Amino acid sequence: MITLKNINKSFGELDVLNDISIQFEAGKTNLIIGQSGSGKTVLLKSIIGLLDVDTGYIYYDDRDFTNMNFKDKKEIRKEMGMVFQGGALFDSLSVEENVKFPLDMFSAMSEDEKKERVSFCLDRVDIKKAHKLYPAEISGGMQKRVAIARAIALNPRYLFCDEPNSGLDPVTAIVIDQLIQEITKEYNMTTIINTHDMNSVMEIGEKILFINKGVKAWEGCSDEIFDTENQALNNFVFASNLFKKIKSKL
Ligand SMILES: Nc1ncnc2c1ncn2[C@@H]1O[C@H](COP(=O)(O)OP(=O)(O)OP(=O)(O)O)[C@@H](O)[C@H]1O
């Protein structure tokens, strides 16, 4: 579980996050949604410690990440897996070398253990056949699978995904979403995903935080998203193609 308490963040005069409090639960796909510029990336970066918040608290389970010393923060970072926009793979490393990278950096495993773990992770995301290929030689969907395999290599407790299905066709996007959700449940990870894809919201939105202009405007799950009085959220949902399709079928 990750808990945010009264998070505030400004850049100079610009208030980007205002008093955000929420609990993201373990074993669930927690989504942060909102229009461009609403503060999703700043919030995700704050949660993982790439940005310092001005005030407020971030707890990893019962551990106060905000006031933690450098050494303890480093330990928590080892429990984080990340899938960045576009996959962010190392072009000069093969698929299996990409997945092995965090093991080389952060684990005390023997070479045999690493080999076994890489093989397990590639198998789990169904990409073992491509293990010798390089990122440029595989499709966008496969690159996302590799990014997920790399993110789970160290068996993380917390998984962070920034627009994990950007640039994918709608079918592959849903397949990637579902893979992230399955893995989240298998390892009981606390998974937080930044997205503005309404298909993702409907498919895997077990817990949703809607940010509007840096403020928590709504929280709920996908089943509740059409029943809200919140105008900003209604506008956001209405603007999505999916909602237009649903409306046209009603
Ligand atoms: N390092 C920074 N310095 C100054 N302003 C910043 C910085 N990072 C983000 N901002 C500002 O904070 C606001 C929120 O940006 P953020 O990237 O979090 O939005 P977002 O919701 O993730 O948008 P998108 O969906 O387009 O990625 C924007 O006005 C942005 O210009």
Side-chain angles (χ1 to χ4, degrees):
M1 178 184 293
I2 294 175
T3 307
L4 311 184
K5 279 195 181 160
N6 310 108
I7 296 297
N8 289 285
K9 175 74 186 169
S10 310
F11 294 104
E13 298 283 288
L14 182 68
D15 284 340
V16 177
L17 300 175
N18 276 297
D19 203 31
I20 299 212
S21 298
I22 192 164
Q23 270 191 347
F24 295 117
E25 291 166 45
K28 284 192 177 177
T29 37
N30 301 280
L31 271 51
I32 303 174
I33 65 170
Q35 284 184 353
S36 252
S38 58
K40 302 183 297 294
T41 306
V42 171
L43 183 59
L44 197 67
K45 282 183 177 171
S46 302
I47 296 170
I48 63 182
L50 283 178
L51 286 172
D52 288 329
V53 295
D54 298 334
T55 54
Y57 300 92
I58 298 162
Y59 293 94
Y60 278 75
D61 294 297
D62 56 358
R63 298 171 292 179
D64 178 359
F65 188 63
T66 343
N67 293 308
M68 204 169 263
N69 64 43
F70 181 76
K71 192 167 153 273
D72 291 341
K73 269 193 177 165
K74 212 170 148 194
E75 288 309 305
I76 293 203
R77 289 216 170 90
K78 287 183 196 166
E79 299 174 12
M80 300 179 187
M82 296 181 202
V83 178
F84 295 110
Q85 262 190 48
L89 301 175
F90 300 112
D91 291 336
S92 59
L93 300 182
S94 68
V95 163
E96 65 183 1
E97 287 165 347
N98 263 284
V99 178
K100 185 167 173 275
F101 186 81
L103 301 177
D104 287 337
M105 292 295 287
F106 299 114
S107 85
M109 288 180 185
S110 68
E111 282 304 308
D112 280 350
E113 286 168 333
K114 286 181 198 169
K115 206 170 163 190
E116 202 175 305
R117 181 71 191 156
V118 169
S119 169
F120 173 86
C121 292
L122 291 176
D123 215 15
R124 178 60 195 86
V125 303
D126 203 14
I127 197 155
K128 214 168 184 177
K129 281 186 193 146
H131 70 290
K132 290 284 177 209
L133 298 178
Y134 285 79
E137 298 172 315
I138 60 177
S139 69
M142 290 164 85
Q143 288 176 13
K144 301 286 176 163
R145 287 176 187 272
V146 179
I148 295 167
R150 188 176 63 183
I152 62 168
L154 286 165
N155 211 358
R157 293 176 67 180
Y158 313 99
L159 181 66
F160 302 97
C161 307
D162 193 13
E163 303 277 351
N165 55 21
S166 64
L168 301 179
D169 68 81
V171 175
T172 308
I174 290 291
V175 170
I176 293 298
D177 280 344
Q178 287 170 342
L179 178 60
I180 292 171
Q181 189 177 42
E182 282 166 22
I183 289 172
T184 295
K185 297 203 177 302
E186 273 167 39
Y187 300 107
N188 198 36
M189 290 185 296
T190 303
T191 295
I192 302 180
I193 302 170
N194 260 5
T195 186
H196 22 55
D197 180 358
M198 274 304 291
N199 288 324
S200 302
V201 170
M202 296 312 296
E203 191 68 28
I204 60 163
E206 292 179 279
K207 176 134 190 183
I208 301 162
L209 164 64
F210 173 62
I211 306 183
N212 186 38
K213 297 178 185 154
V215 173
K216 178 171 119 176
W218 184 83
E219 86 174 81
C221 65
S222 58
D223 291 343
E224 300 161 347
I225 205 160
F226 295 117
D227 298 324
T228 170
E229 299 287 306
N230 186 294
Q231 197 53 48
L233 180 56
N234 281 336
N235 291 343
F236 179 82
V237 171
F238 194 77
S240 80
N241 288 332
L242 180 77
F243 188 60
K244 281 182 203 152
K245 271 186 223 151
I246 290 171
K247 288 261 315 182
S248 70
K249 289 200 160 74
L250 289 177

